[in-house]
C-alpha cells in the first residue's frame, strides 16, 4: 500500500509540474504574440470627435384634443399599475 501511495504522489507531482510548465510557456507565448501583432499590425484609424447632436424641436403648442388623450392615457396607465 505504501508503494502505491508513493507512485500516486509521484504521478501527482509530475502532472502538476507539467501543467505549471505549460502555463509558463503559454504566458510567454501570449506575450510574444502580442508584441508581434503590435509590431506588424496597421495603426488604428483615428476616431472622429463626437459632435453634439441637435435636439429635436418640440412643437410650439399641442393640440388640445391630443393633450386630453395623453392625460386620459396616463390616468388609465396609473390606475392599472398601482403599487
Amino acid at each position: 500500500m505504501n508503494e502505491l501511495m508513493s507512485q500516486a504522489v509521484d504521478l501527482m507531482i509530475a502532472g502538476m509540474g507539467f501543467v505549471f510548465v505549460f502555463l509558463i510557456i503559454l504566458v510567454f507565448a501570449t506575450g510574444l504574440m502580442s508584441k508581434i501583432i503590435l509590431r506588424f499590425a496597421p495603426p488604428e484609424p483615428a476616431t472622429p470627435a463626437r459632435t453634439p447632436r441637435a435636439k429635436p424641436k418640440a412643437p410650439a403648442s399641442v393640440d388640445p384634443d391630443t393633450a386630453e388623450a395623453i392625460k386620459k392615457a396616463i390616468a388609465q396607465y396609473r390606475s392599472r399599475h398601482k403599487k
Side-chain angles (χ1 to χ4, degrees):
M1 186 70 163
N2 194 15
E3 184 180 329
L4 187 61
M5 288 300 288
S6 175
Q7 287 178 348
V9 169
D10 289 343
L11 183 61
M12 179 186 69
I13 291 173
M16 291 175 69
F18 178 76
V19 170
F20 182 74
V21 169
F22 175 77
L23 290 175
I24 295 296
I25 292 171
L26 184 66
V27 166
F28 284 116
T30 304
L32 179 65
M33 286 189 300
S34 176
K35 288 179 183 177
I36 289 172
I37 288 174
L38 288 176
R39 185 175 199 176
F40 294 113
E44 293 183 18
T47 56
R50 290 188 172 198
T51 56
R53 293 184 179 179
K55 294 183 180 178
K57 294 184 179 180
S61 63
V62 178
D63 181 37
D65 292 335
T66 304
E68 189 63 31
I70 292 172
K71 287 178 187 177
K72 286 182 182 179
I74 291 173
Q76 184 179 11
Y77 176 83
R78 286 183 178 167
S79 68
R80 288 184 182 174
H81 294 90
K82 286 185 178 180
K83 289 186 179 181

